[in-house]
Amino acid sequence: MLEPDPNYFSSFVCSGEIFELKAELNSDKKEKKKEAVKKVIASMTVGKDVSALFPDVVNCMQTDNLELKKLVYLYLMNYAKSQPDMAIMAVNTFVKDCEDPNPLIRALAVRTMGCIRVDKITEYLCEPLRKCLKDEDPYVRKTAAVCVAKLHDINAQLVEDQGFLDTLKDLISDSNPMVVANAVAALSEIAESHPNSNLMDLNPQTINKLLTALNECTEWGQIFILDCLANYTPRDDRESQSICERVTPRLSHANSAVVLSAVKVLMKFMEMLPKDLDYYGTLLKKLAPPLVTLLSAEPELQYVALRNINLIVQRRPEILKHEMKVFFVKYNDPIYVKLEKLDIMIRLASQANIAQVLAELKEYATEVDVDFVRKAVRAIGRCAIKVEQSAERCVSTLLDLIQTKVNYVVQEAIVVIKDIFRKYPNKYESVIATLCENLDSLDEPEARAAMIWIVGEYAERIDNADELLESFLEGFHDESTQVQLQLLTAIVKLFLKKPTETQELVQQVLSLATQDSDNPDLRDRGYIYWRLLSTDPVAAKEVVLAEKPLISEETDLIEPTLLEELICHIGTLASVYHKPPSAFVEGSRGVQHKRLPGSTGLGESLESPDTGSAAGGSDAPPAVIPSQGDLLGDLLNLDLTPPATTGPPPPPTSGMQLGAMDLLGGGLDSLMGAGFGAAPAASPASFSAPVSGGLDDLFDLGGGVGMPMGAYNPPKTVWLPAMKGKGLEISGTFARRAGIIQMEMTLINKAMSVMTDFAIQFNRNSFGIAPAGPLQVLTPLSPNQTIEVALPLNTVGPVMKMDPLNNLQGGSF
Amino acid sequence: MSASAIFVLDLKGKVLICRNYKGDVDMAEIDHFMPLLMQHEEEGLVSPVISHGSVHFLWIKHSNLYLVATTNKNSNASLVYSFLYKIVEVFTEYFKELEEESIQDNFVVVYELLDELMDFGFPQTTDSKILQEYITQEGAKLEVAKSKVPTTVTNAVSWRSEGIKYKKNEVFIDVIESINVLVNANGSVMSSDIVGSIKLKTMLSGMPELRLGLNDRVLFALTGRDKGKTVVMEDVKFHQCVRLSRFESDRTISFIPPDGESELMSYRINTHVKPLIWIESVIEKFSHSRVEIMVKAKGQFKKQSVANNVEVRVPVPSDADSPKFKTSTGNAKYVPEKNLVVWTIKSFPGGKEFLMRAHFGLPSVENDEAEGKPPITVKFEIPYFTVSGIQVRYMKIIEKSGYQALPWVRYITQSGDYQLRTNV
């Protein structure tokens, strides 16, 4: 449908021109008529409003000239919505055209009718559509199949009442591959917008039909079918393997989108295969070459491929571990391709290829594109942290780069050197002198904060540490919070190391932080230090100068459950954004998150027991907190995986289902729904209403209106996965018991050590919710212990209008 | 699932033509596209996906046009980009050149094509040869002969019409190999591969069944044959017409070809290739005074072969002036708008070595802006030869009328992405 470009709204066709066109449209001469319609369409194309000609154009509809008919249809699609009453005039012709002996016209009519989103017209569409779905010509049937999806979008109830969905399902068995493909596409589309409709009832018979059609339909049809297959969960590893075998030939298709959709199916079904199966290894080997070839496609497709490869190497690093070279950056690559390649290079870096990688990174760091250079410098630091043997070389490369005195290179280098110090303490302090020389040139907060951290951490070895830190103190209030916090800590460290000379300095910073600052974080930290120092200097030393845990090897890994979900969305926007669809698609919040099927083999964990490999450590998926990850996975498996017999997927009413959601997309956000955000400073009375509204949304209960207030409490969902909470998993919900709002939480200690001293702090929120009392936790919480806590809340806290609460942080000192 | 609407915009972001397929994204959203794109360009963060609120723009650029798809769903992004490039291909075959004018001049056909290419966001028939059978530029012709759907549209063989006739039945096969090389400034080859392509020009009557035989090592291993040189293809990609399952099971390349020209297959070979034309360069930059360039090119291929139309492109600083050249053969030219010296050698026999010297002046006031380090690039063509040694062993052509047809094969090797980094 075309709509006039608003910029051109002012350019109304002058009445004289309209009048002329009107006359021509009503001419007896066919040629003249056609030319007139063309003129009308031309005006429409440049954004002029020609809706006044509606009746005259519709009058031209009854013609045996196909081209003229198409133009009139085009006009109708554009203006019918603004003139619904007039559009009815066209219905008769549409209905007649649907019975035309020429299949082109029948298809055209049914296709166009579906595009006219006017309720009154849709009623008349049913009968013609029913006939067209059973038309003898496949061209008409394939068009009618898509029309069902169109109609469903306008009036879902009508489509169900008319039984079109069943006819559509029947078309999956059609003899013509193109009809099958469009039927699959239409059904998938409907199923996607109605996640609970249980439409795509995939069973082995349908799967077999789809796989047969896969060999015969167009490249686009292949994509529809592959994307649909990806939603199926095979019954066992044998079925999984046989589907994989029939999908792998698609990896040789010239169309990149076919290849990526095939990769999606394979990556998903591979989860079901036992790792010791020969076929599993064969499949792994088959995946690498087509992924590499995607990098010869057009840049936009390369970009999509690279974003997906980034996910694939996190899930199955072994696939591309030998393909480092293809990710080397070319001078003429677009910047978005360069940045993605760089990211993958670091993920693939290992002891075996580190020399090459470093040489490349050094080359990139002397380029001119600022973002790219920064990322290259950062990459060198990440290599140092990832591959211990290379750390020394990385540090010397970074020093070389600092010598270039290119401002942003120096700053970036200092930031990563700080991380290197965190990973390898007491090893590279010899470079501190060089770093200090560049102190004055640092103007970015992150670099300043990093430098200050280094000075504080190694204060005892820097003769003029006090002078250096003091120089920052002058403009304390102009610094960003990050720098202020770091400066405070660094000076306290310095004081603890050299108490005699720095008393004045520490007092100065403490008073700056506590008395002259409005920032609560800074103030709080200042007070803590102050009290520590004044009450028990020995304890202060133990706390502030405590040995820090080493930072982990891999940074910026995608959280495992999200990664699983994204693997199910290979090739789609979600895989490009690295976000679940619920984070950017409206109305999809209640939609079930996709998960990878669990292995039915021996119930192994994800890590491949690929022990014989030479590259060693880089083989296994990088472990953040491995044991918990598996634990979480197992838990979810137990509770969530639908029974092995593939019946209809369970309706998403089980509370644990939400456990698989990430916090951003699901969790609190969806529970509290939009109603919450719209009602700032909600009073307790209105509290539960939006909750049930949100629940409706979530569970599609429909009849939520009659639900007694407070009778239903939303099930607990995981607010803070162990992965993010340093081993502490928090699930929780809000409930109203005896008229009091409570936050009910389950705390699970998934770390190795005992946890003590729990406290809770509420950020300011839109509803003024705050704890009515302190958090009571029976401490300590030993490993694997679970505890239930209820925290009474009130709504008298400070109100701050904000987006729905959607994150939690785990804190530790 | 894929696109909600497709727009064709001019360079300023004005909509030239558009088609709303689903009606779930406000068509006025497109007004945000160009300002956002410009903003991203300014920040140096161009991306093929731009989002505005809940709307996502997936775009490509072609000559003076932007092709943009909008969506508010979790669309299949790779499908959308493939489809946008397909539109470019179809329009180009219809209008020779796809640009602003050709869209404006042919808006009726463009509308018809947009209607046929995609329905409700699902790509439909996108084979331009088949489309040309029922969507023609002259409506009159359509009225008489082509008012029916060609059965091809919905056939399993959706790329070839029935009833094609030729007096003389012939197939021309071009085997073209492109060499991609990336050489570091210190002369070590960082990466190299061969991307091959087999192109057909089919002039065959009826519905012929073709089978192509290559000296593919996997095939030879399967059939137990072990004679002569074979080639390991790392990855192979086929035209829609090739039966992929058949290839997967027994490595047979069997197909009913599209009529006329098409790319039957492409392949990638990972073997380390010796750069066919080796370049050694010394570029010395004396700040505020001059740049001196010395480039040595060596043909590292058989003496009997000749590389044609060789071009060595050497980057020079943007503020260089007063060029002077000396070449042992060929011709050197300064192309200031690209900051390049282009050294052209029409015919470059294997084993030979040539030299080029260039001298440029530099202004005494230095250019403030940092310049990148563009690599030296090389272009060439070597006929009658493939680096990989791939060979067409046979092309079997079977048609039920039983005619005899002749296959013709031609081999050529050319430069692909051929880059040598420099020190300056």
Side-chain angles (χ1 to χ4, degrees):
Chain A
M1 251 178 283
L2 283 140
E3 277 163 37
D5 185 325
N7 292 342
Y8 290 82
F9 251 110
S10 53
S11 57
F12 280 112
V13 190
C14 67
S15 55
E17 208 176 331
I18 290 277
F19 187 76
E20 237 170 66
L21 282 170
K22 219 177 176 72
E24 286 175 36
L25 285 170
N26 291 308
S27 159
D28 296 332
K29 288 183 189 139
K30 270 189 185 175
E31 254 336 278
K32 203 161 193 177
K33 240 182 190 172
K34 198 163 103 185
E35 282 313 304
V37 176
K38 268 192 192 173
K39 277 186 207 163
V40 172
I41 301 286
S43 301
M44 187 179 92
T45 307
V46 297
K48 290 179 185 168
D49 184 359
V50 284
S51 59
L53 294 166
F54 201 93
D56 309 280
V57 177
V58 171
N59 271 338
C60 304
M61 197 172 163
Q62 290 209 35
T63 170
D64 45 7
N65 182 316
L66 189 57
E67 196 192 7
L68 178 57
K69 196 178 271 291
K70 281 185 181 174
L71 291 174
V72 176
Y73 277 10
L74 190 66
Y75 180 91
L76 269 172
M77 274 192 273
N78 199 24
Y79 288 113
K81 201 147 196 197
S82 58
Q83 316 236 355
D85 294 328
M86 301 266 244
I88 294 291
M89 291 165 55
V91 162
N92 267 336
T93 317
F94 272 127
V95 174
K96 225 176 100 199
D97 282 353
C98 286
E99 309 220 350
D100 195 277
N102 184 343
L104 258 187
I105 293 184
R106 294 202 294 277
L108 186 65
V110 81
R111 183 164 68 210
T112 311
M113 244 178 134
C115 291
I116 296 178
R117 303 168 67 86
V118 174
D119 273 340
K120 284 180 192 160
I121 287 202
T122 43
E123 290 169 30
Y124 294 97
L125 179 57
C126 291
E127 280 323 300
L129 177 58
R130 195 185 314 284
K131 276 185 200 147
C132 289
L133 281 167
K134 306 235 152 103
D135 201 282
E136 53 173 19
D137 194 303
Y139 182 76
V140 180
R141 289 202 302 279
K142 71 125 186 163
T143 311
V146 175
C147 190
V148 175
K150 292 180 189 170
L151 191 57
H152 192 271
D153 197 35
I154 305 168
N155 191 340
Q157 196 57 46
L158 184 69
V159 169
E160 273 166 48
D161 294 346
Q162 297 280 331
F164 285 141
L165 292 180
D166 294 323
T167 322
L168 199 53
K169 282 185 202 165
D170 293 342
L171 287 183
I172 289 187
S173 314
D174 199 276
S175 57
N176 185 292
M178 188 109 174
V179 177
V180 178
N182 273 4
V184 169
L187 280 170
S188 307
E189 177 84 19
I190 296 171
E192 201 178 278
S193 52
H194 292 73
N196 301 324
S197 58
N198 191 20
L199 249 186
M200 289 309 281
D201 176 18
L202 294 172
N203 54 48
Q205 287 74 38
T206 3
I207 293 295
N208 197 35
K209 280 175 199 156
L210 295 183
L211 286 167
T212 311
L214 189 59
N215 289 324
E216 293 177 335
C217 61
T218 66
E219 48 202 306
W220 313 111
Q222 295 182 23
I223 300 170
F224 309 152
I225 292 180
L226 289 167
D227 284 356
C228 174
L229 275 177
N231 290 325
Y232 176 64
T233 308
R235 286 161 305 172
D236 51 33
D237 51 335
R238 276 171 54 202
E239 189 188 7
S240 192
Q241 177 174 346
S242 91
I243 295 175
C244 287
E245 279 166 354
R246 293 174 71 179
V247 167
T248 35
R250 297 300 120 196
L251 295 175
S252 301
H253 200 287
N255 187 327
S256 304
V258 175
V259 175
L260 262 185
S261 285
V263 168
K264 167 164 56 195
V265 175
L266 296 174
M267 280 296 287
K268 192 177 166 192
F269 289 9
M270 216 156 117
E271 299 286 333
M272 309 252 318
L273 301 177
K275 310 286 172 288
D276 47 1
L277 196 71
D278 284 347
Y279 181 71
Y280 177 80
T282 317
L283 196 53
L284 276 185
K285 277 201 202 93
K286 276 192 177 155
L287 277 168
L291 286 173
V292 171
T293 305
L294 287 175
L295 302 185
S296 334
E298 288 83 2
E300 292 82 5
L301 283 161
Q302 271 187 57
Y303 176 69
V304 176
L306 285 164
R307 293 293 283 173
N308 280 286
I309 288 172
N310 201 326
L311 299 172
I312 291 168
V313 296
Q314 288 185 60
R315 183 74 188 165
R316 304 216 171 269
E318 61 272 33
I319 295 179
L320 287 165
K321 67 180 176 195
H322 297 304
E323 302 289 349
M324 172 62 86
K325 284 181 175 181
V326 301
F327 298 103
F328 286 171
V329 172
K330 299 255 174 76
Y331 182 76
N332 42 346
D333 282 334
I335 180 68
Y336 51 83
V337 168
K338 285 184 177 173
L339 294 174
E340 288 309 313
K341 280 187 172 174
L342 199 49
D343 215 44
I344 294 168
M345 280 173 67
I346 304 161
R347 295 210 190 282
L348 293 177
S350 68
Q351 204 186 333
N353 56 26
I354 194 73
Q356 254 184 337
V357 173
L358 265 183
E360 279 295 295
L361 292 177
K362 199 174 171 184
E363 182 80 33
Y364 306 159
T366 57
E367 277 289 342
V368 285
D369 192 314
V370 178
D371 291 303
F372 180 57
V373 171
R374 280 177 182 276
K375 196 156 181 174
V377 176
R378 219 161 257 240
I380 297 173
R382 278 170 67 184
C383 284
I385 290 163
K386 195 172 171 195
V387 186
E388 187 163 358
Q389 295 81 354
S390 76
E392 197 157 337
R393 278 232 291 286
C394 294
V395 172
S396 80
T397 307
L398 288 168
L399 283 179
D400 287 351
L401 290 170
I402 288 176
Q403 300 304 350
T404 64
K405 301 282 176 195
V406 177
N407 190 271
Y408 55 87
V409 173
V410 173
Q411 311 214 38
E412 212 61 49
I414 287 179
V415 172
V416 295
I417 286 179
K418 183 206 78 180
D419 288 340
I420 296 176
F421 283 162
R422 283 291 309 269
K423 172 77 179 178
Y424 310 110
N426 306 319
K427 217 168 159 191
Y428 299 109
E429 305 81 75
S430 54
V431 310
I432 292 174
T434 320
L435 303 185
C436 289
E437 285 165 22
N438 293 284
L439 210 71
D440 295 334
S441 66
L442 309 180
D443 53 14
E444 292 164 17
E446 204 183 354
R448 288 172 82 82
M451 192 63 222
I452 293 169
W453 183 87
I454 293 172
V455 174
E457 188 68 14
Y458 295 98
E460 69 274 27
R461 293 178 227 192
I462 305 172
D463 293 336
N464 59 343
D466 48 344
E467 280 169 38
L468 293 175
L469 292 174
E470 197 174 357
S471 69
F472 282 101
L473 219 48
E474 282 162 24
F476 188 79
H477 289 299
D478 302 328
E479 299 283 2
S480 71
T481 312
Q482 189 183 12
V483 178
Q484 290 175 332
L485 286 169
Q486 211 50 263
L487 198 51
L488 173 62
T489 306
I491 292 179
V492 171
K493 281 183 191 164
L494 172 70
F495 171 71
L496 290 167
K497 289 175 179 178
K498 302 178 178 174
T500 47
E501 311 126 62
T502 56
Q503 216 154 9
E504 205 174 312
L505 194 60
V506 80
Q507 245 149 24
Q508 203 182 340
V509 79
L510 286 174
S511 85
L512 278 171
T514 53
Q515 284 157 29
D516 303 341
S517 170
D518 297 333
N519 185 323
D521 288 341
L522 186 63
R523 255 191 344 243
D524 287 355
R525 196 187 282 194
Y527 280 126
I528 289 173
Y529 283 142
W530 203 323
R531 273 172 215 153
L532 261 174
L533 291 172
S534 54
T535 49
D536 188 353
V538 181
K541 208 163 186 167
E542 271 170 26
V543 173
V544 180
L545 301 181
E547 209 168 294
K548 276 162 267 319
L550 298 183
I551 55 174
S552 70
E553 276 185 18
E554 288 269 352
T555 45
D556 67 11
L557 282 176
I558 294 175
E559 194 256 329
T561 40
L562 176 59
L563 182 61
E564 282 197 27
E565 187 179 354
L566 294 179
I567 291 284
C568 300
H569 288 293
I570 282 177
T572 68
L573 275 180
S575 74
V576 174
Y577 289 137
H578 288 184
K579 283 181 194 163
S582 54
F584 61 91
V585 179
E586 275 175 13
S588 67
R589 281 182 173 170
V591 175
Q592 206 174 341
H593 288 230
K594 290 189 182 177
R595 301 190 54 247
L596 292 173
S599 165
T600 51
L602 301 160
E604 311 126 303
S605 65
L606 280 173
E607 276 81 4
S608 61
D610 191 5
T611 43
S613 66
S618 68
D619 270 9
V624 191
I625 310 177
S627 53
Q628 275 103 12
D630 289 349
L631 187 60
L632 193 65
D634 283 348
L635 265 174
L636 294 173
N637 257 344
L638 273 178
D639 291 348
L640 288 183
T641 316
T645 51
T646 41
T653 38
S654 105
M656 275 303 286
Q657 204 99 26
L658 294 165
M661 290 187 171
D662 69 310
L663 278 167
L664 247 183
L668 268 187
D669 210 6
S670 55
L671 265 177
M672 304 187 91
F676 241 92
S683 67
S686 65
F687 185 84
S688 52
V691 169
S692 72
L695 281 174
D696 262 7
D697 199 11
L698 202 56
F699 299 128
D700 205 15
L701 287 176
V705 197
M707 197 185 290
M709 297 261 264
Y712 182 84
N713 289 314
K716 280 179 186 160
T717 63
V718 177
W719 288 346
L720 179 72
M723 215 68 23
K724 287 185 181 163
K726 302 191 168 75
L728 177 65
E729 183 181 296
I730 305 178
S731 13
T733 183
F734 290 93
R736 221 173 137 197
R737 305 206 190 275
I740 296 167
I741 312 167
Q742 287 195 343
M743 186 162 90
E744 299 182 352
M745 291 181 290
T746 306
L747 312 181
I748 307 170
N749 181 356
K750 290 188 173 177
M752 304 301 178
S753 54
V754 177
M755 291 177 176
T756 54
D757 298 330
F758 293 90
I760 190 159
Q761 181 183 335
F762 273 55
N763 286 340
R764 277 202 223 183
N765 51 60
S766 322
F767 324 112
I769 295 180
L775 180 71
Q776 308 258 342
V777 181
L778 296 169
T779 51
L781 187 57
S782 39
N784 282 325
Q785 190 185 345
T786 302
I787 256 183
E788 305 283 341
V789 196
L791 178 69
L793 303 175
N794 59 33
T795 52
V796 297
V799 174
M800 185 163 81
K801 212 174 159 185
M802 60 185 289
D803 288 337
L805 180 58
N806 56 14
N807 63 46
L808 266 173
Q809 288 173 341
S812 72
F813 286 95
Chain B
M1 193 166 195
S2 86
S4 174
I6 302 277
F7 297 84
V8 181
L9 311 182
D10 70 4
L11 287 179
K12 292 192 194 108
K14 191 182 108 190
V15 179
L16 295 175
I17 208 161
C18 60
R19 170 72 202 244
N20 188 350
Y21 288 105
K22 296 186 72 178
D24 56 355
V25 175
D26 185 357
M27 293 298 272
E29 284 285 340
I30 194 68
D31 295 341
H32 299 293
F33 171 73
M34 195 46 77
L36 282 170
L37 178 63
M38 274 158 49
Q39 187 193 330
H40 287 204
E41 261 169 13
E42 231 161 73
E43 292 163 1
L45 296 167
V46 186
S47 158
V49 201
I50 295 179
S51 62
H52 177 262
S54 59
V55 181
H56 311 274
F57 303 103
L58 291 82
W59 63 279
I60 64 170
K61 195 178 172 192
H62 180 88
S63 71
N64 54 0
L65 300 174
Y66 289 97
L67 281 87
V68 188
T70 54
T71 177
N72 58 5
K73 299 267 157 55
N74 181 29
S75 299
N76 186 329
S78 53
L79 177 144
V80 174
Y81 291 119
S82 284
F83 180 71
L84 291 177
Y85 276 104
K86 197 57 140 187
I87 293 184
V88 171
E89 194 186 312
V90 171
F91 284 5
T92 310
E93 289 197 29
Y94 263 83
F95 315 128
K96 295 285 176 297
E97 232 160 287
L98 172 58
E99 47 168 26
E100 196 176 329
E101 256 180 41
S102 50
I103 293 282
Q104 281 163 341
D105 295 350
N106 297 288
F107 71 92
V108 174
V109 183
V110 172
Y111 277 131
E112 281 192 45
L113 285 173
L114 287 175
D115 198 35
E116 201 63 42
L117 287 168
M118 184 175 253
D119 193 7
F120 202 55
F122 307 123
Q124 300 291 307
T125 308
T126 56
D127 191 308
S128 68
K129 287 201 194 76
I130 305 306
L131 286 167
Q132 274 165 356
E133 287 183 24
Y134 65 112
I135 296 179
T136 54
Q137 311 210 41
E138 290 147 60
K141 216 160 88 189
L142 180 124
E143 250 180 288
V144 203
K146 305 287 186 187
S147 56
K148 270 197 248 151
V149 200
T151 47
T152 328
V153 172
T154 49
N155 259 352
V157 182
S158 61
W159 54 89
R160 185 184 179 92
S161 303
E162 280 165 28
I164 295 172
K165 280 202 183 78
Y166 284 97
K167 267 190 186 157
K168 194 174 176 192
N169 290 296
E170 289 175 308
V171 190
F172 298 90
I173 307 167
D174 276 343
V175 181
I176 303 161
E177 287 194 342
S178 303
I179 315 294
N180 299 324
V181 180
L182 179 61
V183 181
N184 216 353
N186 60 20
S188 54
V189 179
M190 302 301 291
S191 66
S192 69
D193 62 5
I194 304 168
V195 176
S197 159
I198 298 187
K199 293 187 173 159
L200 297 184
K201 187 176 179 190
T202 319
M203 298 157 83
L204 296 172
S205 313
M207 275 291 181
E209 270 288 339
L210 270 58
R211 249 169 64 197
L212 175 72
L214 300 172
N215 55 340
D216 167 16
R217 182 166 307 166
V218 184
L219 173 69
F220 276 40
L222 274 176
T223 53
R225 210 175 316 196
D226 193 23
K227 276 183 285 182
K229 196 180 179 233
T230 56
V231 170
V232 185
M233 294 183 282
E234 178 81 3
D235 190 32
V236 195
K237 290 280 174 282
F238 291 107
H239 184 273
Q240 168 77 14
C241 68
V242 177
R243 297 181 183 95
L244 298 183
S245 323
R246 181 88 196 268
F247 179 76
E248 177 82 8
S249 65
D250 61 9
R251 297 291 275 200
T252 306
I253 302 170
S254 78
F255 55 98
I256 298 171
D259 189 43
E261 289 177 34
S262 60
E263 182 177 50
L264 178 71
M265 63 181 278
S266 64
Y267 55 87
R268 192 165 49 78
I269 296 175
N270 247 357
T271 47
H272 207 95
V273 263
K274 192 154 86 175
L276 295 179
I277 292 191
W278 183 250
I279 302 286
E280 275 171 42
S281 67
V282 181
I283 303 177
E284 280 180 294
K285 193 173 164 184
F286 302 92
S287 285
H288 316 297
S289 80
R290 65 190 194 277
V291 180
E292 283 175 7
I293 298 169
M294 195 276 292
V295 176
K296 196 161 78 180
K298 193 180 170 190
Q300 306 195 102
F301 45 92
K302 281 187 223 134
K303 288 211 172 64
Q304 307 90 292
S305 292
V306 173
N308 294 330
N309 305 319
V310 178
E311 267 185 29
V312 182
R313 297 158 168 255
V314 187
V316 291
S318 61
D319 51 358
D321 55 43
S322 41
K324 278 177 225 151
F325 304 109
K326 226 160 122 189
T327 54
S328 63
T329 190
N331 219 336
K333 211 174 87 189
Y334 176 42
V335 189
E337 63 273 19
K338 287 181 180 160
N339 301 322
L340 282 178
V341 173
V342 180
W343 177 23
T344 319
I345 304 162
K346 282 273 166 257
S347 159
F348 195 138
K352 283 278 178 352
E353 205 176 282
F354 299 113
L355 207 67
M356 188 267 291
R357 280 175 195 281
H359 178 285
F360 284 86
L362 284 180
S364 50
V365 185
E366 211 171 317
N367 192 351
D368 285 343
E369 266 174 56
E371 285 181 26
K373 296 197 297 177
I376 295 179
T377 55
V378 186
K379 281 184 151 185
F380 58 85
E381 261 179 35
I382 307 175
Y384 318 115
F385 160 77
T386 54
V387 214
S388 68
I390 201 161
Q391 273 179 346
V392 174
R393 291 177 47 248
Y394 61 81
M395 170 74 98
K396 286 186 183 152
I397 303 163
I398 301 161
E399 215 277 335
K400 54 176 186 269
S401 65
Y403 58 72
Q404 288 294 309
L406 282 177
W408 304 90
V409 190
R410 204 161 52 161
Y411 297 96
I412 193 164
T413 291
Q414 63 185 27
S415 56
D417 201 348
Y418 203 101
Q419 304 190 356
L420 302 99
R421 291 179 183 155
T422 62
N423 268 322
V424 180

